[in-house]
Amino acid sequence: MKHLLYDDFPAEIGRLFSERGLPSFRAKQINEWLGKCALDFSQMTNLPIALREDLMQEFDLNAFRDVTVIQSKLDDTRKYFFTLRDGEHIEAVLLHYHHGYSVCVSTQAGCKMGCKFCASSACGFGRDLTCGEILSELVAITADMRKTTPDFRIGHIVLMGIGEPLDNYDNVLRFLRLAMDEERFGIGARNISLSTCGLVDKIAKLAEENIPLTLSISLHAPTDLKRDAIMPVNRRFPLAALIDACRDYDRKTGRRISFEYALIAGENDSVEDAKTLANLLRGLDCHVNLIPVNEVPGAPYRTARENQRLLFTNTLEKCKINVTVRRTLGADIEAACGQLRRAANNTAN
Ligand code: SAH
């Protein structure tokens, strides 16, 4: 595969060009085009045709062979289904909130973590994405949206699509720094959330990176016994170690931790579970986000009933835990991560 220019920082493109004997203003022009989310060298009309042809021989601008967009009829949510250059599939979701646009990106084609309720686990692991491929999800969405909304800008990024971001640590860190670069998307760390199933060693590493993003932990169970049963990662990094890593992260970055908790009927949604959860989180500056579990075909998990969800929420509130119930967007377009990749793999098999 050709070298994808979105894998590089502006200064690296400067070096690539000077190694080829090109004047520095050419690198500057290319960087401006990358800043504008160009996907084709033919757009670069301020570059000589011969140079564009040379560049095209050696470099790629588009990380995707194909992009399918699915627009929700219920709200502004748009789901993007991407085919990478080697045929792997990933997904990203564009969400429209009152404070702006947020994009949920995939960090791997597939996932190795094996969470029992998750559609991404069901069809296995393909490969890690490069930093430029993750960035290209933002590029492709911006290019698509600017066709109708010329001043479109991505305000927030959440790393909550397919894959475990901390299992692709180096590429994901480079992606974060690229997305934050003023010459690329200029998105501040405070507008970035990274969601992990709890790779404790990598959480400790992330705390040292000086990127004050919001760390979101996919918790989903209040005891090791229950968490072991639905999230295999818990056998490697049990709850006590995970919560310790969260305390350290909070202390080092000053950022409040966010916990994702999918309510599954009869599994983790009792008042007792809520009390155990409140105990586990006591004294930690955190926020609990309750999610109605998305029912994935083939998995035995059912969404908790409304009254059970209220009881659970009230119990947490009584224990002084900050809690919200996540709004469901894009319910009609399988916006939950992994659902489309899984459908595509099933068709292919
Ligand atoms: N690997 C990372 C990020 C990707 S998953 C992580 O585990 O956090 C994004 C979020 O969706 C996680 O909180 C995950 O636990 C949750 N999720 C996965 N399948 C789900 C389902 N069927 N219903 C509700 N949430 C689900």
Side-chain angles (χ1 to χ4, degrees):
M1 264 190 294
K2 288 186 220 169
H3 181 129
L4 182 66
L5 281 180
Y6 282 106
D7 270 318
D8 294 323
F9 281 91
E12 291 168 334
I13 290 190
R15 280 199 292 280
L16 273 179
F17 274 48
S18 77
E19 281 163 16
R20 282 159 186 74
L22 291 163
S24 62
F25 75 92
R26 292 292 181 211
K28 191 163 173 281
Q29 285 174 316
I30 289 277
N31 276 319
E32 278 167 13
W33 281 109
L34 297 185
K36 287 186 199 154
C37 298
L39 288 169
D40 199 322
F41 288 102
S42 67
Q43 288 167 263
M44 305 182 176
T45 45
N46 56 349
L47 263 62
I49 292 183
L51 175 60
R52 281 189 249 156
E53 276 169 1
D54 285 350
L55 293 174
M56 218 181 297
Q57 296 301 320
E58 202 180 344
F59 303 110
D60 266 342
L61 285 174
N62 197 336
F64 308 120
R65 212 158 74 185
D66 189 53
V67 183
T68 307
V69 188
I70 304 159
Q71 167 73 54
S72 169
K73 290 185 185 65
L74 305 175
D75 51 58
D76 285 340
T77 306
R78 281 162 86 79
K79 177 139 191 170
Y80 290 78
F81 184 60
F82 300 110
T83 309
L84 290 150
R85 291 172 295 168
D86 63 354
E88 283 287 352
H89 297 292
I90 54 164
E91 309 166 16
V93 183
L94 174 68
L95 300 140
H96 196 184
Y97 293 103
H98 61 275
H99 55 71
Y101 286 100
S102 179
V103 174
C104 174
V105 294
S106 294
T107 54
Q108 296 176 311
C111 189
K112 300 178 208 157
M113 297 299 123
C115 300
K116 297 280 198 297
F117 46 82
C118 179
S120 296
S121 291
C123 62
F125 181 71
R127 65 171 175 86
D128 283 333
L129 299 183
T130 69
C131 56
E133 287 173 328
I134 309 172
L135 195 79
S136 293
E137 298 174 52
L138 307 182
V139 172
I141 290 174
T142 304
D144 172 60
M145 288 301 288
R146 285 194 181 154
K147 288 186 230 156
T148 49
T149 314
D151 60 350
F152 174 85
R153 272 191 71 85
I154 295 171
H156 293 76
I157 319 175
V158 296
L159 285 75
M160 254 198 204
I162 299 172
E164 167 50 50
L166 298 185
D167 184 42
N168 184 15
Y169 190 89
D170 293 340
N171 290 330
V172 163
L173 260 286
R174 218 176 123 87
F175 156 71
L176 292 172
R177 294 202 162 99
L178 273 170
M180 290 164 67
D181 194 297
E182 284 302 328
E183 289 189 61
R184 293 294 182 265
F185 287 88
I187 297 172
R190 279 163 198 279
N191 293 333
I192 302 176
S193 297
L194 183 150
S195 180
T196 176
C197 63
L199 300 180
V200 165
D201 52 342
K202 300 291 168 42
I203 293 173
K205 206 168 161 194
L206 184 65
E208 307 292 341
E209 300 279 359
N210 200 19
I211 302 181
L213 50 73
T214 302
L215 184 64
S216 182
I217 306 286
S218 298
L219 198 61
H220 305 319
T223 64
D224 281 325
L225 192 66
K226 290 196 176 196
R227 201 162 187 266
D228 281 350
I230 52 174
M231 299 179 70
V233 68
N234 197 66
R235 285 177 224 139
R236 188 145 55 108
F237 298 113
L239 281 174
L242 178 57
I243 300 301
D244 269 355
C246 291
R247 283 187 209 285
D248 278 349
Y249 188 88
D250 173 32
R251 206 168 33 237
K252 285 192 179 128
T253 64
R255 302 289 289 154
R256 169 201 262 198
I257 310 281
S258 171
F259 289 98
E260 306 293 317
Y261 194 103
L263 287 167
I264 309 173
E267 295 281 337
N268 65 2
D269 65 339
S270 69
V271 168
E272 196 51 41
D273 289 324
K275 286 183 182 159
T276 314
L277 177 62
N279 255 327
L280 182 72
L281 303 181
R282 181 168 299 144
L284 181 63
D285 183 18
C286 69
H287 174 265
V288 174
N289 201 3
L290 297 175
I291 319 162
V293 78
N294 230 302
E295 297 183 5
V296 168
Y301 305 112
R302 296 292 157 255
T303 308
R305 286 176 195 284
E306 172 92 41
N307 63 340
Q308 201 60 35
R309 193 159 79 211
L310 281 174
L311 268 175
F312 198 95
T313 313
N314 290 342
T315 310
L316 287 182
E317 277 171 347
K318 265 191 227 139
C319 299
K320 305 268 185 288
I321 302 278
N322 294 303
V323 55
T324 47
V325 177
R326 190 194 281 171
R327 226 165 28 114
T328 310
L329 290 175
D332 59 328
I333 54 168
E334 300 200 281
C337 64
Q339 293 186 4
L340 286 182
R341 179 175 189 270
R342 181 177 138 121
N345 281 19
N346 284 348
T347 319
N349 287 340

